[in-house]
Amino acid sequence: MKKHNFSAGPSILPQEVLKQASDAVLNFNNSGLSLLEISHRSKDFVDVMEEARELALQLLGLEGKGYKALFLQGGASMQFVMAAYNLLENKAGYLNTGTWSDKAIKEAKLFGDVVEVASSKDKNFNYIPKDYAIPSGLDYLHITTNNTIFGTQLKNIPALDIPLVADMSSDIFSRELDFTKFDLIYAGAQKNMGPAGTTLVVVREDILGKVTRKIPAMLDYTQHISKGSMYNTPPVFAVYTSLLTLRWLKENGGIKGAEENNDKKATLIYSEIDLNPLFTGFAALEDRSTMNATFNLTEDNLKETFDTMLKEAGISGVNGHRSVGGYRASMYNALSLKSVGTLVDVMSELERKA
Ligand SMILES: *Cc1c(COP(=O)(O)O)cnc(C)c1O
């Protein structure tokens, strides 16, 4: 029986996408060949790459607005490096809202001065800093729109007159935003888009080519753009499966449709966390993520009972990250409201039992 999959990443994908992807592994487009055994330069695969790049821009509302989409390798962690390599000439600002921002900052420091414009480290990243000043002379500001580990999410995206760079790994395509506010967006596929192995990068072309350092080809956005995201052999399976998810998203109401579902799921779990005396939320109320809900039991001795009940209900992947503890329910686009309902039922059943 298929489990209710709350894994933080790699994470749930639509069942029909998994089916289509597995079909393509055996017989791609009725070609009598596997997706995995054809040239990436063949028309069939070039079409996949082109459609995926276009659809990503289309879903974000960025078509014809000076942006290019790329499917690169190395994960979001490689983008911590590439963003700074391509954009940091003197000084960049970073908003430190969690483990991933922290890592992005460490990498950027290899390339120039980094100003931590604000940080929520003082409270183990359980909130998003709000009243901070942006110093002058920054090459860009870097933010993490959703903090996967801590369960916080930026609700207000700053409007700036310098480039805005965002790690959207865990909430890309999950909610409507004015994406034109961003100049560089990146997201590892394995949270909300596809399998591990590719990272979506969306970049406004006119911010590139401004740094004086030499950039190795594989780390140079301009090179990847000029080669149509095919500078070298792309991760064909990850790109194709991401395309299938993007098609699925489009057929299901696009980002708007996803956001409506995600809001319902988040409302359901957070009201249970707030009403049930056995649970307490980790993140500050106003910063709660619609993607990752972090919570704890108020009585540690109920852990074993709760864990057993979760298992019996077919719920998988709700253990919290080691740096936060407790529980984390990740509710990416492909997770159904019914799965969240099942989790909430177990939580209220625990209250009845205890
Ligand atoms: C998972 C995650 C990362 C790391 O992604 P990799 O693809 O493993 O490098 C970075 N940032 C955020 C917000 C994440 O959720």
Side-chain angles (χ1 to χ4, degrees):
M1 195 194 80
K2 185 79 185 172
K3 300 243 170 89
H4 299 284
N5 184 3
F6 289 86
S7 171
S11 40
I12 187 166
L13 290 170
Q15 197 61 25
E16 62 195 82
V17 164
L18 294 177
K19 173 78 177 64
Q20 290 163 2
S22 55
D23 287 349
V25 168
L26 294 173
N27 183 5
F28 178 51
N29 283 355
N30 263 328
S31 61
L33 293 168
S34 166
L35 165 69
L36 308 184
E37 58 182 6
I38 59 167
S39 167
H40 60 292
R41 307 278 177 208
S42 64
K43 180 171 185 321
D44 277 358
F45 188 78
V46 172
D47 287 351
V48 166
M49 181 59 96
E50 282 314 298
E51 186 185 343
R53 295 176 68 205
E54 264 173 52
L55 198 46
L57 291 182
Q58 193 192 98
L59 287 161
L60 295 168
L62 292 177
E63 252 182 342
K65 294 185 176 160
Y67 291 81
K68 286 285 190 307
L70 301 168
F71 285 86
L72 304 181
Q73 302 191 54
S77 301
M78 182 64 93
Q79 293 311 309
F80 299 161
V81 179
M82 280 179 74
Y85 221 132
N86 285 264
L87 302 175
L88 177 48
E89 179 78 5
N90 297 307
K91 190 165 68 166
Y94 278 69
L95 186 61
N96 192 356
T97 53
T99 310
W100 298 118
S101 316
D102 219 35
K103 289 194 168 167
I105 290 169
K106 286 203 182 82
E107 299 291 45
K109 282 183 175 165
L110 301 172
F111 302 97
D113 289 338
V114 171
V115 187
E116 224 175 271
V117 297
S119 167
S120 47
K121 210 170 193 164
D122 58 335
K123 292 190 179 165
N124 197 22
F125 299 115
N126 76 350
Y127 70 102
I128 302 289
K130 301 197 181 63
D131 298 316
Y132 51 88
I134 311 268
S136 61
L138 297 182
D139 295 325
Y140 61 88
L141 177 74
H142 180 284
I143 60 176
T144 311
T145 52
N146 185 71
N147 300 283
T148 326
I149 293 174
F150 303 92
T152 62
Q153 191 171 34
L154 260 79
K155 305 294 171 180
N156 294 307
I157 306 299
L160 305 170
D161 51 12
I162 52 169
L164 180 62
V165 176
D167 177 357
M168 276 192 204
S169 293
S170 53
D171 70 347
I172 185 113
F173 303 121
S174 74
R175 56 173 173 161
E176 290 197 291
L177 291 173
D178 176 2
F179 293 99
T180 62
K181 277 185 173 175
F182 300 91
D183 298 276
L184 172 64
I185 295 169
Y186 60 87
Q190 70 273 19
K191 309 279 166 50
N192 217 6
M193 189 173 63
T198 192
T199 306
L200 173 64
V201 171
V202 173
V203 61
R204 239 183 95 117
E205 268 189 290
D206 62 8
I207 67 165
L208 300 175
K210 307 220 162 126
V211 290
T212 49
R213 74 172 62 82
K214 288 199 164 62
I215 307 174
M218 276 296 284
L219 301 180
D220 186 349
Y221 293 127
T222 309
Q223 289 270 5
H224 287 289
I225 291 170
S226 73
K227 297 290 193 273
S229 203
M230 296 261 226
Y231 177 81
N232 69 330
T233 317
V236 294
F237 181 76
V239 174
Y240 181 65
T241 309
S242 297
L243 168 61
L244 294 174
T245 312
L246 296 178
R247 283 185 190 154
W248 168 87
L249 181 63
K250 187 178 172 182
E251 283 157 20
N252 287 278
I255 295 182
K256 187 168 189 291
E259 180 172 26
E260 282 166 17
N261 283 330
N262 293 332
D263 284 347
K264 281 186 204 149
K265 290 182 280 178
T267 304
L268 184 59
I269 192 149
Y270 286 121
S271 25
E272 181 64 22
I273 290 170
D274 291 339
L275 292 173
N276 189 327
L278 298 181
F279 294 97
T280 142
F282 173 79
L285 296 190
E286 72 275 17
D287 301 324
R288 281 173 160 176
S289 165
T290 55
M291 295 280 95
N292 313 94
T294 42
F295 55 98
N296 278 280
L297 277 167
T298 48
E299 297 171 35
D300 281 344
N301 60 358
L302 288 174
K303 182 169 165 36
E304 220 182 296
T305 313
F306 185 51
D307 288 352
T308 307
M309 290 167 67
L310 289 169
K311 210 172 160 199
E312 280 167 1
I315 289 168
S316 166
V318 290
N319 282 342
H321 189 272
R322 61 189 180 280
S323 53
V324 179
Y327 296 88
R328 168 173 53 166
S330 298
M331 304 174 290
Y332 299 116
N333 286 350
L335 186 83
S336 68
L337 183 61
K338 192 165 151 272
S339 286
V340 179
T342 304
L343 172 58
V344 164
D345 286 347
V346 172
M347 293 164 79
S348 47
E349 177 66 18
L350 183 71
E351 189 190 356
R352 271 193 299 278
K353 269 195 180 173

